Structures are given as C-alpha cells and as structure tokens.
Amino acid sequence: GAVVSQHPSRVICKSGTSVKIECRSLDFQATTMFWYRQFPKQSLMLMATSNEGSKATYEQGVEKDKFLINHASLTLSTLTVTSAHPEDSSFYICSARDRGPTYEQYFGPGTRLTVT
Amino acid sequence: AQKITQTQPGMFVQEKEAVTLDCTYDTSDQSYGLFWYKQPSSGEMIFLIYQGSYDEQNATEGRYSLNFQKARKSANLVISASQLGDSAMYFCAILSGGYNKLIFGAGTRLAVHP
C-alpha cells in the first residue's frame, strides 16, 4: 500500500520560534497533499490543500502567513508554523492523494507540536 | 456544503460481538464517496472501507461492512466479531465537491471489553 511519512513525529519549541514539518509520499507521486490539524478529543480539521508547483488553498479561518505550505515536488510538502504560540500546540496530520478510482487519501503518522 | 454527523460520542461492545457505528451525511452532490477511518491512540489514520455513491452493493472489507442507505443519507459501519484491538476512535468522512476535500465527522470512540 501507499506510504506517507511525516517528520518529525514530535517537536517541542519555544514560543515565537518557527517549526517545519515535512510530509513525504514514499512510493507514489502525489500531485495533491492535504494538511489537517487535530486538537485533543476532536476531529480532523482541514487546514489547506497543497498542489505541486502552485500555491496552497487555505480553508476559511486559517492564516496563510502563519501556516506556510510549500509543495515543491511530487513527493514532498512542508508546513511551517511561523512564530508559534502555545495555542498552536496540536496534532498535525498530512495526507497525500492517489489518483486511483477511489480518490483515497493516504495519511501520514502525524506530528505532535508542543509550544512552550 | 458537505457535512458528516456521528451522533455516538462513545460506544462499547463485548469482545466477539458485532457493533454498528452510525454516520449520516449531507451533500448536494450527486457523486461522492464515503470513507471510514480508524484512529488508535498512536494517532495514525487507518483506512477501513470506502463506498461510492453509485455503488449499489454495500462495501465489505474483512470484518468491516458499510450499511449504505442512500435515501436516508446513512453510511453506518458494522464491525463483526469485535477484537480488543478494535478499541479506537472511528471517523466517518465524505469526499465530494469535485473529489477535492475530505470532510470528517466528530468521531466515535469504541471500547471493546473482554
């Protein structure tokens, strides 16, 4: 099956610093990748859709200047949380879409961000 | 707009019994897809089963089956012969709007008791 990796799996950073999270599709090419945020005991909320070679499309209420997304290749998308604050602490999950008949999205294992 | 409703915040079942997790959806699209994912405490999202809106047969994948009732906009997940390892959060999701976005429900936490 298709595999998506995320790095790092956990990160702790100080308030005001920036953190970069990588999402890679390991055995398939993903023209579209998605970034989700999940707060404790809540569902996944789509933050943005990332298409290779073009600007990301952000969901309403998501600050594009705070959450920078780059999808430079067919196998790599990055999410940078700029000037992180404690309220940005969350579980960030990426997914990559296969072009199969079900349009299934393959999820990465997630990154737990803690901002102190 | 698309919406998924999961009305059961928590469910429990005895090991080896079957359990049904409810999911209703709302969409104005004629073509859409419905997914169920399992999220254990580790956080990874595990794909369980998919149902296309034009599929006439209910989807099945091993111990998982999807009870698809299109007129009622219902897509319940049935897990047969529950195992302790089935204890997790379960999310129903809809893919529509040109197959561009996956919208998740609030989830149901399933606890399997020995």
Side-chain angles (χ1 to χ4, degrees):
Chain A
V3 179
V4 175
S5 70
Q6 269 185 255
H7 178 79
S9 57
R10 289 179 178 270
V11 58
I12 301 172
C13 70
K14 293 192 174 181
S15 188
T17 62
S18 295
V19 174
K20 180 184 283 188
I21 302 170
E22 291 187 349
C23 176
R24 293 181 185 271
S25 57
L26 297 185
D27 51 4
F28 67 100
Q29 292 185 332
T31 54
T32 305
M33 289 184 170
F34 303 86
W35 287 95
Y36 297 85
R37 180 167 53 184
Q38 186 180 29
F39 291 110
K41 300 188 188 300
Q42 295 188 22
S43 187
L44 280 74
M45 297 301 294
L46 179 65
M47 298 175 66
T49 302
S50 165
N51 291 297
E52 186 265 339
S54 63
K55 290 184 179 180
T57 302
Y58 290 82
E59 294 300 300
Q60 193 171 11
V62 177
E63 301 174 58
K64 59 180 68 175
D65 294 331
K66 180 167 186 63
F67 299 99
L68 301 180
I69 292 172
N70 183 278
H71 192 161
S73 77
L74 287 172
T75 60
L76 174 65
S77 177
T78 61
L79 167 68
T80 301
V81 183
T82 63
S83 186
H85 291 287
E87 57 265 30
D88 298 323
S89 298
S90 187
F91 192 57
Y92 292 87
I93 308 176
C94 74
S95 70
R97 190 167 71 192
D98 190 346
R99 283 191 170 269
T102 64
Y103 289 87
E104 182 180 345
Q105 292 184 21
Y106 298 95
F107 285 84
T111 296
R112 189 163 302 282
L113 170 64
T114 302
V115 184
T116 60
Chain B
Q2 292 76 36
K3 185 179 179 181
I4 290 282
T5 302
Q6 293 180 256
T7 57
Q8 306 156 314
M11 290 281 287
F12 70 88
V13 64
Q14 290 292 125
E15 196 177 6
K16 301 180 185 178
E17 293 187 348
V19 63
T20 298
L21 305 183
D22 294 341
C23 172
T24 58
Y25 60 92
D26 189 20
T27 181
S28 55
D29 292 334
Q30 295 299 310
S31 180
Y32 51 89
L34 295 157
F35 295 81
W36 275 93
Y37 288 89
K38 172 185 178 182
Q39 187 180 43
S41 57
S42 59
E44 62 185 309
M45 295 293 284
I46 301 170
F47 165 74
L48 297 178
I49 198 166
Y50 167 83
Q51 179 85 41
S53 57
Y54 293 117
D55 295 339
E56 295 185 354
Q57 302 269 2
N58 284 345
T60 60
E61 288 285 348
R63 293 186 299 111
Y64 305 107
S65 60
L66 199 151
N67 184 0
F68 182 46
Q69 298 187 39
K70 194 170 181 177
R72 298 179 61 185
K73 294 192 172 180
S74 165
N76 298 340
L77 175 71
V78 180
I79 305 175
S80 63
S82 297
Q83 302 172 356
L84 295 178
D86 293 335
S87 295
M89 280 293 287
Y90 288 81
F91 291 100
C92 179
I94 185 168
L95 186 66
S96 61
Y99 291 93
N100 197 38
K101 296 183 185 180
L102 197 59
I103 305 298
F104 287 87
T108 296
R109 180 168 296 282
L110 176 66
V112 180
H113 295 174

